[in-house]
Amino acid sequence: MTPASNSTSQYTVGQLAKATDTKAVTIRYYEGLGLLPSASRSAAGYRLYTAREHDRLLFIRRSRGLGFSIEDIRGLLGLADRSEAPCTALDTKVKEQLEQVRLRLRDLRAMEKELERLSGCCAGGVISDCRIVESLSGRG
């Protein structure tokens, strides 16, 4: 992974959290999972992170935002760390994730249609006469 422009920058966990819009507890969690390397410590015992960890954390956050699992991200990071390797495996993982997203979108569209249908069933009144309850109960 390419380090940020200033590779001598050091961040405390709070500064890294602010710079990446990530909670400090999440940073420590990723460190505990081994997605981020163990931070060095200041003389006072504060965790210190470099620009490399900053960039790695952004990679993790963006990957999570795209729906990749922790294990997928572990694999993506392993691929990204081998800068001279061909990108075929990385491209394959992205295409697989795209297919998963498309499947979820299909399922969400079906869910939307069913909810629209249910919403149209209600004519007001009381619960005992409610067509939504009948439909959800399998009676309608």
Side-chain angles (χ1 to χ4, degrees):
M1 297 186 68
T2 305
S5 57
N6 185 355
S7 60
T8 61
S9 296
Q10 287 199 319
Y11 304 86
T12 63
V13 71
Q15 291 167 332
L16 184 61
K18 185 174 183 178
T20 61
D21 194 28
T22 307
K23 293 179 180 181
V25 67
T26 303
I27 294 170
R28 290 189 290 270
Y29 172 71
Y30 290 151
E31 190 176 331
L33 291 176
L35 298 178
L36 286 174
S38 294
S40 62
R41 298 284 182 156
S42 70
Y46 293 106
R47 283 180 165 90
L48 293 176
Y49 299 92
T50 66
R52 180 174 163 83
E53 284 88 31
H54 172 276
D55 291 352
R56 193 170 182 92
L57 182 56
L58 288 177
F59 183 101
I60 294 166
R61 285 188 40 80
R62 290 178 180 146
S63 297
R64 289 295 286 161
L66 293 171
F68 285 100
S69 71
I70 293 294
E71 285 311 308
D72 287 337
I73 294 170
R74 188 180 311 283
L76 293 173
L77 286 167
L79 293 168
D81 287 341
R82 297 189 330 249
S83 61
E84 299 302 317
C87 62
T88 307
L90 191 58
D91 187 46
T92 298
K93 290 300 281 180
V94 168
K95 286 179 180 175
E96 289 170 356
Q97 184 64 14
L98 177 59
E99 184 57 30
Q100 289 302 310
V101 167
R102 287 179 173 153
L103 289 171
R104 284 194 302 261
L105 284 169
R106 186 196 68 210
D107 291 346
L108 285 169
R109 284 186 199 103
M111 192 183 311
E112 177 187 34
K113 286 180 182 177
E114 179 62 10
L115 288 168
E116 284 176 346
R117 186 190 71 74
L118 284 172
S119 181
C121 289
C122 186
V126 295
I127 293 293
S128 62
D129 296 329
C130 185
R131 301 280 301 154
I132 293 174
V133 172
E134 285 179 18
S135 184
L136 290 173
S137 301
R139 297 185 314 244

